[in-house]
Amino acid sequence: MKNIVILISGGGSNMAAIVRASQKEDWAARYGARVAAVISNKGTAGGLVFAKEQGLDTHVLDHKTYADREAFDAALAQVIDRYDTPQAPVLVVLAGFMRILTAGFVEKYAGRLVNIHPSLLPAFGGLHTHQRALDAGCQFAGATVHLVTPELDHGPILEQAVVPVLPGDTADTLAARVLTQEHRIYPRAVANLLSKK
Ligand code: GRF
């Protein structure tokens, strides 16, 4: 069985969307894959509650307790590698995981490390994407699922979704509209990757 490990920092609604899709679409039968574990860098991440309810393994690695980025990433990789075998390489899914990963970590999981970013990349990498889209006068916004490469919010695009910017939008209303689309495209992108392996 191929394991999917999902990394979160907060609410985990994208993680939940992927877990639900894996159940509804029976990824075990279809792709021989399952969501095995959820890892958070914050003990208070709301998504951990859902993950536990689903009977998934959960792990908390508080980045603040590690000396530096390298040490944190090494600890993270150690946990992930419990779900990794040469026969069935683990798929690592970043879902609202708010940590920049070292190049070494990214290279280790190259081709099997995916991220969702709440903008139409390559526009608006980094933080505060919705406010920046509003400030720029964009008429459309959206989200991008991409393979992770060492450069932040770059890497081959797997899926995108577009939403309109509406009169009176705030960063919050726009974020909510984009998030509903994230829940649609992220499970689909993961399923596509699984179907190709
Ligand atoms: C999403 O918009 C994601 O793209 C961004 O942070 C938000 C996380 O939402 N990086 P959730 O934790 O999946 O609910």
Side-chain angles (χ1 to χ4, degrees), residues 157-179:
I157 291 172
L158 301 175
E159 292 265 356
Q160 284 189 312
V162 178
V163 303
V165 176
L166 299 178
D169 259 343
T170 63
D172 285 347
T173 59
L174 183 56
R177 192 173 310 120
V178 170
L179 193 61

Side-chain angles (χ1 to χ4, degrees), residues 7 10 45-46 63 72-73 88 94 100 115 127 136 145 156 167:
L7 275 54
H63 59 274
F72 173 69
D73 283 10
L94 308 179
I100 294 174
N115 182 42
L127 297 173
V145 180

Side-chain angles (χ1 to χ4, degrees), residues 180-196:
T180 61
Q181 295 306 305
E182 295 183 40
H183 298 162
R184 197 173 58 79
I185 62 171
Y186 212 179
R188 191 168 72 194
V190 172
N192 273 340
L193 275 180
L194 294 170
S195 72
K196 283 180 197 140

Side-chain angles (χ1 to χ4, degrees), residues 10-15 95-98 116-118 130 179 182-183:
S13 66
N14 278 293
M15 174 271 295
F97 184 65
M98 303 303 284
I116 191 158
H117 183 75
H130 305 297
L179 193 61
E182 295 183 40
H183 298 162

